[in-house]
Each structure stands twice: as structure tokens, then as C-alpha cells.
Amino acid sequence: MPGKVICSPEALCMKPFSQHEGYGQLVRTELGSLCRGTLVVPKSWASALGLQEKQEVIWDMLHISQGSLLTLYGFVWGDENLEDNSTLLGELGAELKDYYKQIAQTLKQTLLNHGYIAKIGIIVKITYLGHKTICLYDSSSKICYPQTYYLTIKTVKDLEKALAGVLGSYESFYSLP
């Protein structure tokens, strides 16, 4: 991926959130535990896979790291009244859970179509960004994949190659130090 990888988390966080004041810092906080690997950040995973986008989604990305499962992060926003209404937040979370499950399933199929044959597990984490940061959904506590689904050095390389084929280039890849 020479010449196409941006190694600056600041650039990564600022670009998508330039129109959403304060969100860059919230994302840095949310992703603070990611210390290695690659973030794949197309303009929108839904549009990259030919699916209908949701207007609530600010940004989504895929985290690839050796020894881990793939993690699909979604960052969403909504009306500020949403934060104080747990029923509406629950409905938004359920709707977005289905949306991201469809993205994950379509991504798996698309990767297969691009020659990626290893077993693949995708964790989905959806975070609401408003005045408060609220986790709407985290499948890591609900899904248990066997060890054969965790990424190795070889599967990471194969996966990055297949993803570049899906997205058309490595321009959406960001290295984490």
C-alpha cells in the first residue's frame, strides 16, 4: 500500500467530521483502544457495497488487526431530543443494527466474490454521537466466533488485497501506529 496510506490519526478523525464540530474528539476517544492494525474508511460502506445509505450515519469504518475479528464501526447522529428518550434511542439502535448486519453480510459475500476464502467474522459496534456518546449496539458481547475466524498475518494481507479490489484502491486505508 505504499503512497496510499495515511499514518495520521488526526487527519483520519478530522476529515469526515469537519462539518460536525467536536465529533473528531469523540471519535478519538471511542477509538482510543485501537493501537494497531488498519482502518478502512470508504466514504460510506453502504454505498461502496451498492446498498442504500442511512442519513443518520456520519461515518463508518472497518478495523483490521492480526489476532482479532474484523470490527465494523458505525458513528451516527440524530435529533438532540433523541438523547433524552431511551425508547427512540432503542428504536434507532434496532434499525441501525439491522442496517449494519446487512452491510456485514454483503461485505462477506463481496469479499468471497473477490477471492477472499478464509473464514470471516465481523463484530458490529454502533455509537451515537451527540451531546453524549452512547453505545447503541455492540455485538462483541453477543457473538462468539471460533479461533479460526480470527485474523492471522496471512489473512490480514489477503483481506486487505480483497478489500482494495472491492473499493477500487487503497485510498481508504489508514495505518494505526
Side-chain angles (χ1 to χ4, degrees):
M1 296 183 290
K4 297 287 186 175
V5 179
I6 297 173
C7 297
S8 167
E10 288 76 25
L12 172 64
C13 288
M14 290 299 118
K15 185 177 174 186
F17 294 102
S18 58
Q19 65 215 25
H20 301 284
E21 188 176 325
Y23 286 176
Q25 183 59 43
L26 288 170
V27 170
R28 271 191 227 100
T29 301
E30 286 297 302
L31 300 179
S33 63
L34 302 180
C35 57
R36 62 189 165 93
T38 303
L39 296 176
V40 184
V41 190
K43 184 173 180 182
S44 158
W45 272 108
S47 64
L49 297 169
L51 301 172
Q52 183 70 32
E53 292 181 57
K54 292 273 188 194
Q55 70 180 33
E56 299 90 348
V57 175
I58 301 170
W59 189 47
D60 44 29
M61 64 179 197
L62 191 66
H63 180 238
I64 304 168
S65 182
Q66 180 186 337
S68 300
L69 295 166
L70 282 176
T71 305
L72 180 60
Y73 288 90
F75 295 96
V76 302
W77 67 284
D79 186 297
E80 61 188 51
N81 297 328
L82 207 56
E83 292 176 34
D84 298 324
N85 189 325
S86 60
T87 302
L88 288 177
L89 270 177
E91 290 171 5
L92 177 62
E95 180 183 329
L96 291 170
K97 173 184 162 188
D98 291 341
Y99 171 75
Y100 277 103
K101 281 173 108 176
Q102 181 184 19
I103 289 173
Q105 290 170 342
T106 304
L107 178 58
K108 285 180 183 184
Q109 185 59 53
T110 304
L111 287 168
L112 251 170
N113 296 344
H114 279 83
Y116 184 78
I117 57 171
K119 293 180 179 179
I120 190 168
I122 301 177
I123 297 296
V124 174
K125 295 185 178 191
I126 306 168
T127 303
Y128 172 86
L129 300 174
H131 293 99
K132 302 177 201 174
T133 302
I134 302 166
C135 176
L136 294 180
Y137 181 70
D138 182 349
S139 68
S140 64
S141 62
K142 297 166 181 54
I143 298 174
C144 186
Y145 284 100
Q147 193 61 37
T148 54
Y149 284 74
Y150 285 71
L151 298 170
T152 64
I153 291 172
K154 180 181 178 355
T155 57
V156 165
K157 288 179 182 177
D158 292 345
L159 181 60
E160 287 177 347
K161 190 182 296 184
L163 283 168
V166 169
L167 298 173
S169 74
Y170 286 104
E171 290 177 3
S172 299
F173 287 60
Y174 297 84
S175 286
L176 294 172

PDB file of all heavy atoms in Angstrom, residues 132-153:
ATOM      1  N   LYS A 132     -23.982  13.631  24.200  1.00  0.00           N
ATOM      2  CA  LYS A 132     -23.461  12.465  24.917  1.00  0.00           C
ATOM      3  C   LYS A 132     -23.036  11.438  23.875  1.00  0.00           C
ATOM      4  O   LYS A 132     -23.564  11.398  22.777  1.00  0.00           O
ATOM      5  CB  LYS A 132     -24.556  11.823  25.772  1.00  0.00           C
ATOM      6  CG  LYS A 132     -25.197  12.704  26.795  1.00  0.00           C
ATOM      7  CD  LYS A 132     -26.303  11.916  27.479  1.00  0.00           C
ATOM      8  CE  LYS A 132     -27.314  12.832  28.124  1.00  0.00           C
ATOM      9  NZ  LYS A 132     -28.450  12.084  28.670  1.00  0.00           N
ATOM     10  N   THR A 133     -22.077  10.602  24.250  1.00  0.00           N
ATOM     11  CA  THR A 133     -21.697   9.476  23.408  1.00  0.00           C
ATOM     12  C   THR A 133     -22.396   8.252  23.980  1.00  0.00           C
ATOM     13  O   THR A 133     -22.220   7.935  25.156  1.00  0.00           O
ATOM     14  CB  THR A 133     -20.166   9.265  23.424  1.00  0.00           C
ATOM     15  OG1 THR A 133     -19.551  10.464  22.971  1.00  0.00           O
ATOM     16  CG2 THR A 133     -19.770   8.119  22.543  1.00  0.00           C
ATOM     17  N   ILE A 134     -23.195   7.587  23.155  1.00  0.00           N
ATOM     18  CA  ILE A 134     -23.995   6.465  23.636  1.00  0.00           C
ATOM     19  C   ILE A 134     -23.776   5.265  22.720  1.00  0.00           C
ATOM     20  O   ILE A 134     -23.914   5.381  21.498  1.00  0.00           O
ATOM     21  CB  ILE A 134     -25.500   6.833  23.654  1.00  0.00           C
ATOM     22  CG1 ILE A 134     -25.737   8.054  24.542  1.00  0.00           C
ATOM     23  CG2 ILE A 134     -26.351   5.647  24.104  1.00  0.00           C
ATOM     24  CD1 ILE A 134     -27.100   8.692  24.381  1.00  0.00           C
ATOM     25  N   CYS A 135     -23.443   4.126  23.325  1.00  0.00           N
ATOM     26  CA  CYS A 135     -23.316   2.893  22.539  1.00  0.00           C
ATOM     27  C   CYS A 135     -24.726   2.388  22.241  1.00  0.00           C
ATOM     28  O   CYS A 135     -25.485   2.067  23.156  1.00  0.00           O
ATOM     29  CB  CYS A 135     -22.523   1.848  23.320  1.00  0.00           C
ATOM     30  SG  CYS A 135     -22.429   0.264  22.437  1.00  0.00           S
ATOM     31  N   LEU A 136     -25.071   2.315  20.957  1.00  0.00           N
ATOM     32  CA  LEU A 136     -26.385   1.816  20.566  1.00  0.00           C
ATOM     33  C   LEU A 136     -26.381   0.301  20.377  1.00  0.00           C
ATOM     34  O   LEU A 136     -27.397  -0.351  20.546  1.00  0.00           O
ATOM     35  CB  LEU A 136     -26.846   2.479  19.267  1.00  0.00           C
ATOM     36  CG  LEU A 136     -27.112   3.976  19.323  1.00  0.00           C
ATOM     37  CD1 LEU A 136     -27.549   4.486  17.960  1.00  0.00           C
ATOM     38  CD2 LEU A 136     -28.154   4.307  20.377  1.00  0.00           C
ATOM     39  N   TYR A 137     -25.218  -0.232  20.005  1.00  0.00           N
ATOM     40  CA  TYR A 137     -25.141  -1.674  19.762  1.00  0.00           C
ATOM     41  C   TYR A 137     -23.686  -2.107  19.742  1.00  0.00           C
ATOM     42  O   TYR A 137     -22.834  -1.411  19.186  1.00  0.00           O
ATOM     43  CB  TYR A 137     -25.811  -2.028  18.430  1.00  0.00           C
ATOM     44  CG  TYR A 137     -25.804  -3.508  18.122  1.00  0.00           C
ATOM     45  CD1 TYR A 137     -26.588  -4.395  18.843  1.00  0.00           C
ATOM     46  CD2 TYR A 137     -24.992  -4.010  17.118  1.00  0.00           C
ATOM     47  CE1 TYR A 137     -26.574  -5.751  18.559  1.00  0.00           C
ATOM     48  CE2 TYR A 137     -24.979  -5.373  16.829  1.00  0.00           C
ATOM     49  CZ  TYR A 137     -25.774  -6.238  17.559  1.00  0.00           C
ATOM     50  OH  TYR A 137     -25.740  -7.574  17.282  1.00  0.00           O
ATOM     51  N   ASP A 138     -23.396  -3.242  20.348  1.00  0.00           N
ATOM     52  CA  ASP A 138     -22.062  -3.830  20.342  1.00  0.00           C
ATOM     53  C   ASP A 138     -22.236  -5.342  20.318  1.00  0.00           C
ATOM     54  O   ASP A 138     -22.595  -5.947  21.321  1.00  0.00           O
ATOM     55  CB  ASP A 138     -21.279  -3.388  21.578  1.00  0.00           C
ATOM     56  CG  ASP A 138     -19.861  -3.926  21.610  1.00  0.00           C
ATOM     57  OD1 ASP A 138     -19.525  -4.802  20.790  1.00  0.00           O
ATOM     58  OD2 ASP A 138     -19.085  -3.476  22.476  1.00  0.00           O
ATOM     59  N   SER A 139     -21.988  -5.942  19.161  1.00  0.00           N
ATOM     60  CA  SER A 139     -22.206  -7.381  19.030  1.00  0.00           C
ATOM     61  C   SER A 139     -21.081  -8.214  19.635  1.00  0.00           C
ATOM     62  O   SER A 139     -21.217  -9.422  19.754  1.00  0.00           O
ATOM     63  CB  SER A 139     -22.393  -7.771  17.559  1.00  0.00           C
ATOM     64  OG  SER A 139     -21.192  -7.597  16.836  1.00  0.00           O
ATOM     65  N   SER A 140     -19.980  -7.575  20.063  1.00  0.00           N
ATOM     66  CA  SER A 140     -18.857  -8.346  20.598  1.00  0.00           C
ATOM     67  C   SER A 140     -19.237  -9.101  21.863  1.00  0.00           C
ATOM     68  O   SER A 140     -18.657 -10.144  22.157  1.00  0.00           O
ATOM     69  CB  SER A 140     -17.648  -7.450  20.862  1.00  0.00           C
ATOM     70  OG  SER A 140     -17.942  -6.501  21.855  1.00  0.00           O
ATOM     71  N   SER A 141     -20.218  -8.616  22.597  1.00  0.00           N
ATOM     72  CA  SER A 141     -20.646  -9.315  23.810  1.00  0.00           C
ATOM     73  C   SER A 141     -21.710 -10.378  23.519  1.00  0.00           C
ATOM     74  O   SER A 141     -22.033 -11.179  24.378  1.00  0.00           O
ATOM     75  CB  SER A 141     -21.186  -8.311  24.830  1.00  0.00           C
ATOM     76  OG  SER A 141     -22.316  -7.648  24.297  1.00  0.00           O
ATOM     77  N   LYS A 142     -22.236 -10.388  22.291  1.00  0.00           N
ATOM     78  CA  LYS A 142     -23.320 -11.301  21.942  1.00  0.00           C
ATOM     79  C   LYS A 142     -22.888 -12.444  21.028  1.00  0.00           C
ATOM     80  O   LYS A 142     -23.541 -13.467  20.959  1.00  0.00           O
ATOM     81  CB  LYS A 142     -24.442 -10.514  21.268  1.00  0.00           C
ATOM     82  CG  LYS A 142     -25.073  -9.468  22.161  1.00  0.00           C
ATOM     83  CD  LYS A 142     -25.922  -8.524  21.329  1.00  0.00           C
ATOM     84  CE  LYS A 142     -26.564  -7.434  22.125  1.00  0.00           C
ATOM     85  NZ  LYS A 142     -25.710  -6.629  22.936  1.00  0.00           N
ATOM     86  N   ILE A 143     -21.793 -12.243  20.300  1.00  0.00           N
ATOM     87  CA  ILE A 143     -21.370 -13.222  19.303  1.00  0.00           C
ATOM     88  C   ILE A 143     -20.036 -13.813  19.727  1.00  0.00           C
ATOM     89  O   ILE A 143     -19.123 -13.090  20.123  1.00  0.00           O
ATOM     90  CB  ILE A 143     -21.207 -12.556  17.914  1.00  0.00           C
ATOM     91  CG1 ILE A 143     -22.546 -11.995  17.442  1.00  0.00           C
ATOM     92  CG2 ILE A 143     -20.651 -13.537  16.904  1.00  0.00           C
ATOM     93  CD1 ILE A 143     -22.453 -11.197  16.153  1.00  0.00           C
ATOM     94  N   CYS A 144     -19.921 -15.119  19.625  1.00  0.00           N
ATOM     95  CA  CYS A 144     -18.677 -15.790  19.960  1.00  0.00           C
ATOM     96  C   CYS A 144     -18.221 -16.607  18.750  1.00  0.00           C
ATOM     97  O   CYS A 144     -18.877 -17.581  18.379  1.00  0.00           O
ATOM     98  CB  CYS A 144     -18.881 -16.693  21.176  1.00  0.00           C
ATOM     99  SG  CYS A 144     -17.363 -17.429  21.751  1.00  0.00           S
ATOM    100  N   TYR A 145     -17.143 -16.158  18.118  1.00  0.00           N
ATOM    101  CA  TYR A 145     -16.612 -16.858  16.954  1.00  0.00           C
ATOM    102  C   TYR A 145     -15.494 -17.801  17.388  1.00  0.00           C
ATOM    103  O   TYR A 145     -14.730 -17.485  18.308  1.00  0.00           O
ATOM    104  CB  TYR A 145     -16.024 -15.852  15.951  1.00  0.00           C
ATOM    105  CG  TYR A 145     -17.048 -15.098  15.145  1.00  0.00           C
ATOM    106  CD1 TYR A 145     -17.405 -13.800  15.492  1.00  0.00           C
ATOM    107  CD2 TYR A 145     -17.638 -15.664  14.022  1.00  0.00           C
ATOM    108  CE1 TYR A 145     -18.333 -13.090  14.744  1.00  0.00           C
ATOM    109  CE2 TYR A 145     -18.556 -14.957  13.269  1.00  0.00           C
ATOM    110  CZ  TYR A 145     -18.900 -13.677  13.635  1.00  0.00           C
ATOM    111  OH  TYR A 145     -19.813 -12.983  12.893  1.00  0.00           O
ATOM    112  N   PRO A 146     -15.356 -18.939  16.705  1.00  0.00           N
ATOM    113  CA  PRO A 146     -14.221 -19.829  16.990  1.00  0.00           C
ATOM    114  C   PRO A 146     -12.901 -19.155  16.599  1.00  0.00           C
ATOM    115  O   PRO A 146     -12.881 -18.215  15.799  1.00  0.00           O
ATOM    116  CB  PRO A 146     -14.470 -21.043  16.091  1.00  0.00           C
ATOM    117  CG  PRO A 146     -15.801 -20.862  15.479  1.00  0.00           C
ATOM    118  CD  PRO A 146     -16.252 -19.459  15.694  1.00  0.00           C
ATOM    119  N   GLN A 147     -11.808 -19.648  17.145  1.00  0.00           N
ATOM    120  CA  GLN A 147     -10.489 -19.062  16.913  1.00  0.00           C
ATOM    121  C   GLN A 147     -10.122 -19.028  15.432  1.00  0.00           C
ATOM    122  O   GLN A 147      -9.395 -18.145  14.994  1.00  0.00           O
ATOM    123  CB  GLN A 147      -9.428 -19.846  17.707  1.00  0.00           C
ATOM    124  CG  GLN A 147      -8.093 -19.151  17.788  1.00  0.00           C
ATOM    125  CD  GLN A 147      -8.141 -17.796  18.482  1.00  0.00           C
ATOM    126  OE1 GLN A 147      -8.869 -17.604  19.451  1.00  0.00           O
ATOM    127  NE2 GLN A 147      -7.376 -16.844  17.978  1.00  0.00           N
ATOM    128  N   THR A 148     -10.646 -19.937  14.626  1.00  0.00           N
ATOM    129  CA  THR A 148     -10.316 -19.981  13.197  1.00  0.00           C
ATOM    130  C   THR A 148     -10.830 -18.753  12.441  1.00  0.00           C
ATOM    131  O   THR A 148     -10.430 -18.521  11.305  1.00  0.00           O
ATOM    132  CB  THR A 148     -10.889 -21.246  12.535  1.00  0.00           C
ATOM    133  OG1 THR A 148     -12.301 -21.307  12.798  1.00  0.00           O
ATOM    134  CG2 THR A 148     -10.213 -22.505  13.067  1.00  0.00           C
ATOM    135  N   TYR A 149     -11.702 -17.967  13.060  1.00  0.00           N
ATOM    136  CA  TYR A 149     -12.226 -16.754  12.427  1.00  0.00           C
ATOM    137  C   TYR A 149     -11.374 -15.524  12.720  1.00  0.00           C
ATOM    138  O   TYR A 149     -11.577 -14.468  12.137  1.00  0.00           O
ATOM    139  CB  TYR A 149     -13.665 -16.492  12.886  1.00  0.00           C
ATOM    140  CG  TYR A 149     -14.670 -17.399  12.232  1.00  0.00           C
ATOM    141  CD1 TYR A 149     -14.784 -18.741  12.604  1.00  0.00           C
ATOM    142  CD2 TYR A 149     -15.516 -16.937  11.240  1.00  0.00           C
ATOM    143  CE1 TYR A 149     -15.705 -19.578  12.005  1.00  0.00           C
ATOM    144  CE2 TYR A 149     -16.448 -17.761  10.633  1.00  0.00           C
ATOM    145  CZ  TYR A 149     -16.526 -19.089  11.021  1.00  0.00           C
ATOM    146  OH  TYR A 149     -17.446 -19.909  10.427  1.00  0.00           O
ATOM    147  N   TYR A 150     -10.427 -15.652  13.637  1.00  0.00           N
ATOM    148  CA  TYR A 150      -9.562 -14.531  13.988  1.00  0.00           C
ATOM    149  C   TYR A 150      -8.488 -14.369  12.925  1.00  0.00           C
ATOM    150  O   TYR A 150      -8.014 -15.336  12.351  1.00  0.00           O
ATOM    151  CB  TYR A 150      -8.948 -14.738  15.377  1.00  0.00           C
ATOM    152  CG  TYR A 150      -9.953 -14.500  16.481  1.00  0.00           C
ATOM    153  CD1 TYR A 150     -10.992 -15.386  16.707  1.00  0.00           C
ATOM    154  CD2 TYR A 150      -9.865 -13.374  17.285  1.00  0.00           C
ATOM    155  CE1 TYR A 150     -11.929 -15.166  17.707  1.00  0.00           C
ATOM    156  CE2 TYR A 150     -10.797 -13.139  18.289  1.00  0.00           C
ATOM    157  CZ  TYR A 150     -11.827 -14.042  18.492  1.00  0.00           C
ATOM    158  OH  TYR A 150     -12.752 -13.805  19.474  1.00  0.00           O
ATOM    159  N   LEU A 151      -8.089 -13.128  12.668  1.00  0.00           N
ATOM    160  CA  LEU A 151      -7.170 -12.823  11.580  1.00  0.00           C
ATOM    161  C   LEU A 151      -5.726 -13.184  11.923  1.00  0.00           C
ATOM    162  O   LEU A 151      -5.265 -12.941  13.035  1.00  0.00           O
ATOM    163  CB  LEU A 151      -7.258 -11.342  11.226  1.00  0.00           C
ATOM    164  CG  LEU A 151      -8.623 -10.875  10.714  1.00  0.00           C
ATOM    165  CD1 LEU A 151      -8.682  -9.362  10.636  1.00  0.00           C
ATOM    166  CD2 LEU A 151      -8.924 -11.497   9.367  1.00  0.00           C
ATOM    167  N   THR A 152      -5.037 -13.735  10.943  1.00  0.00           N
ATOM    168  CA  THR A 152      -3.620 -14.045  11.045  1.00  0.00           C
ATOM    169  C   THR A 152      -2.856 -13.083  10.130  1.00  0.00           C
ATOM    170  O   THR A 152      -3.473 -12.320   9.379  1.00  0.00           O
ATOM    171  CB  THR A 152      -3.338 -15.494  10.596  1.00  0.00           C
ATOM    172  OG1 THR A 152      -3.661 -15.604   9.202  1.00  0.00           O
ATOM    173  CG2 THR A 152      -4.159 -16.500  11.405  1.00  0.00           C
ATOM    174  N   ILE A 153      -1.533 -13.157  10.137  1.00  0.00           N
ATOM    175  CA  ILE A 153      -0.739 -12.307   9.241  1.00  0.00           C
ATOM    176  C   ILE A 153      -1.161 -12.533   7.796  1.00  0.00           C
ATOM    177  O   ILE A 153      -1.372 -11.595   7.043  1.00  0.00           O
ATOM    178  CB  ILE A 153       0.771 -12.600   9.413  1.00  0.00           C
ATOM    179  CG1 ILE A 153       1.242 -12.129  10.774  1.00  0.00           C
ATOM    180  CG2 ILE A 153       1.578 -11.909   8.318  1.00  0.00           C
ATOM    181  CD1 ILE A 153       2.661 -12.553  11.119  1.00  0.00           C
TER     182      ILE A 153
END
